[in-house]
Amino acid sequence: MQSGVKTVSYGSGRITGKLVGKWLAACGLVLSGAVSSAETPSDETITPEQWDGCVVRLQQEALDKGIPSDIVQGPLAGIQYVPKVIELDRRQPEFTTTFSSYITRRVDHRRVARGRKMLREHRELLNQLVKEYGIPAQYLVAFWGLETNYGSYLGKMPTLDSLATLACDQRRSRFFTAQLMEALKLLQVPGVEHPMRGSWAGAVGHTQFMPTAYLKYAIDGDGDGKKDLWGSIPDALTSAANFLNNLGWQRDLRWGREVQLPDGFDFTLLGFKQKRSLKQWRAMGLRTATGAELADLDLPASVLLPAGYRGPAFLVYHNFDVIMGWNRSVYYALSVGHLADRINGAGKLQRSPPKDLKRLSIAQVKELQTRLNAMGYDTGNPDGILGPATRTAISAFQQSREMVADGYPRSSVFEALEIEL
Ligand code: CA
């Protein structure tokens, strides 16, 4: 989410030659001075002519979808190309984040304290939402805290411009065209005003809903006849509760918990795709983080070790999968769960993630993946991301070398694979 972004409008015939070169350079996609005219555009970007053609295509598609012509001729006709959006879309991180740095940056003392304050301030509304949708207050507050720091920053990018820019870009055109169409439909919803603003990728409001989620799950929580996820906290939190309920949140269940693993734990059982009942884990000797016995229940659960065997271990339940339905990131889901616990009065993790783990470059992880694939340990397409498949492959490799098979890409794994770090 960036503020103060300059937008460039492309009315047909208004921009030619030199200006195009400036525009391409502004995209950060061509070398300064390398482009002198519209005849030699970078492959990475689109020309003003292509943009104009794309706007016509989007207008036609909107009309075909039954979006009223005053919206097609008004807000949609006025969309502007935002080079910054493409720049942000292309900005690949250079390094993978460690769990330690991810969670300490997001679940810190200030965010916990402010979350507790929000819990008190909105107690009545939150109690009502627990009753109606079954989502405990601390989770709703945790999502709110992680998405926009409790509404402190909702994003300032013009949503239609962002979505149109991404819709006219090749990389994820279909997805963003669909989101743009939903955003245009949103303009008919009372409480939504043009121009909408939000993140560079089109998420809006206190809980950063994409247009599809807004249309489908937004609720008028304060009963004023409008669904306003920017201006109304009751609307935003009720909508989040409705969304989570629709994702399948199970009432009266936790997200998971930090646990202690027994000595000699079989690390090949790790990963959120491997589910065993709480009963079974209990029988294997897993205990809560403070050493108490786990409940003797038949709930499916998985064990995660996001920072390897020296870091905290987590047992995660069905509602963890629901959080992953909101954002498909294990670190994000663990942060929501932990922040919710902290807001609800719990202390820090019993075992803090080791701080000495080095972050790896995306290139190093890709090389690791390629090497493992070649040896028959399937990591999927080498993408530089330490997802579940890569962790499972590392674990299998570690096992074959009689190393601790926790799936963590520590330096011993790189050494064994003869990859220089
Ligand atoms: Ca409302």
Side-chain angles (χ1 to χ4, degrees):
M1 292 179 283
Q2 301 287 317
S3 57
V5 169
K6 280 191 185 148
T7 56
V8 182
S9 175
Y10 286 100
S12 49
R14 275 190 282 132
I15 293 180
T16 49
K18 228 172 169 181
L19 271 175
V20 172
K22 272 192 184 168
W23 169 62
L24 293 173
C27 294
L29 298 168
V30 290
L31 293 171
S32 182
V35 174
S36 56
S37 76
E39 284 80 50
T40 51
S42 157
D43 292 342
E44 280 277 342
T45 189
I46 60 170
T47 63
E49 289 74 22
Q50 285 170 322
W51 168 253
D52 288 342
C54 184
V55 174
V56 171
R57 166 179 77 80
L58 294 172
Q59 286 182 307
Q60 190 54 54
E61 187 161 344
L63 289 171
D64 293 347
K65 287 221 154 41
I67 290 160
S69 60
D70 61 324
I71 291 179
V72 176
Q73 302 308 329
L76 184 55
I79 51 175
Q80 298 188 319
Y81 188 83
V82 189
K84 184 84 184 171
V85 167
I86 299 299
E87 196 184 302
L88 290 167
D89 183 64
R90 299 292 193 276
R91 190 179 288 169
Q92 294 287 330
E94 204 178 328
F95 292 95
T96 59
T97 316
T98 65
F99 179 62
S100 170
S101 97
Y102 187 97
I103 199 161
T104 44
R105 216 174 290 157
R106 285 164 183 80
V107 187
D108 61 4
H109 175 73
R110 287 175 63 172
R111 196 161 285 173
V112 171
R114 190 136 180 242
R116 289 176 181 168
K117 188 164 165 259
M118 292 298 154
L119 199 66
R120 287 193 299 275
E121 272 177 25
H122 301 281
R123 177 51 75 190
E124 202 181 322
L125 165 70
L126 291 163
N127 283 347
Q128 186 58 34
L129 296 178
V130 181
K131 237 186 269 169
E132 211 165 318
Y133 299 95
I135 322 294
Q138 68 271 23
Y139 291 97
L140 295 175
V141 175
F143 276 103
W144 187 19
L146 287 175
E147 293 293 343
T148 59
N149 204 11
Y150 312 106
S152 322
Y153 193 72
L154 307 184
K156 292 177 182 168
M157 298 287 276
T159 304
L160 292 186
D161 294 349
S162 292
L163 292 173
T165 299
L166 291 162
C168 293
D169 178 54
Q170 285 177 15
R171 208 170 78 78
R172 287 188 290 169
S173 178
R174 270 170 72 112
F175 174 78
F176 284 107
T177 300
Q179 290 294 333
L180 177 65
M181 295 301 139
E182 301 285 84
L184 293 169
K185 289 183 199 162
L186 265 182
L187 291 176
Q188 297 168 277
V189 173
V192 178
E193 280 169 23
H194 180 65
M196 293 179 248
R197 288 182 187 273
S199 78
W200 67 267
V204 300
H206 280 260
T207 49
Q208 296 288 281
F209 272 30
M210 287 301 285
T212 315
Y214 202 130
L215 262 191
K216 233 171 157 178
Y217 303 112
I219 300 263
D220 173 19
D222 57 15
D224 68 350
K226 297 173 180 175
K227 296 175 178 177
D228 178 3
L229 301 191
W230 295 269
S232 164
I233 291 171
D235 286 9
L237 295 183
T238 308
S239 303
N242 185 41
F243 186 25
L244 288 166
N245 184 31
N246 273 279
L247 287 172
W249 189 274
Q250 284 183 358
R251 239 172 229 267
D252 305 323
L253 271 191
R254 307 168 52 85
W255 64 277
R257 60 164 73 249
E258 189 189 354
V259 290
Q260 286 177 6
L261 301 181
D263 289 340
F265 177 76
D266 178 0
F267 289 114
T268 62
L269 305 180
L270 292 173
F272 78 95
K273 285 189 176 157
Q274 298 207 61
K275 299 201 192 295
R276 282 175 176 70
S277 71
L278 202 51
K279 237 180 217 215
Q280 285 173 298
W281 292 120
R282 177 183 148 117
M284 282 183 217
L286 274 76
R287 289 180 165 267
T288 71
T290 54
E293 281 202 12
L294 291 171
D296 196 15
L297 293 173
D298 224 0
L299 295 172
S302 314
V303 178
L304 302 180
L305 274 184
Y309 74 99
R310 290 189 293 131
F314 298 96
L315 198 56
V316 298
Y317 312 148
H318 171 79
N319 286 338
F320 183 84
D321 296 354
V322 173
I323 302 173
M324 295 271 291
W326 179 298
N327 180 343
R328 287 210 71 74
S329 153
V330 168
Y331 289 0
Y332 176 85
L334 288 170
S335 300
V336 169
H338 180 52
L339 180 58
D341 286 351
R342 295 285 299 278
I343 288 170
N344 207 29
K348 291 184 180 175
L349 294 173
Q350 289 289 323
R351 202 163 178 174
S352 35
K355 293 195 174 67
D356 58 348
L357 292 170
K358 293 245 173 346
R359 46 182 204 156
L360 297 165
S361 74
I362 300 289
Q364 285 165 337
V365 175
K366 276 188 188 169
E367 196 176 348
L368 173 78
Q369 291 169 323
T370 307
R371 202 70 68 88
L372 286 170
N373 283 349
M375 293 173 75
Y377 301 102
D378 186 17
T379 67
N381 183 33
D383 54 6
I385 297 166
L386 288 165
T390 303
R391 296 222 180 215
T392 304
I394 296 171
S395 171
F397 172 74
Q398 287 170 320
Q399 211 192 353
S400 76
R401 298 296 172 99
E402 301 197 345
M403 300 158 93
V404 178
D406 63 356
Y408 196 84
R410 64 176 55 74
S411 50
S412 57
V413 173
F414 284 86
E415 271 165 38
L417 288 166
E418 293 173 5
I419 302 172
E420 269 185 51
L421 277 183

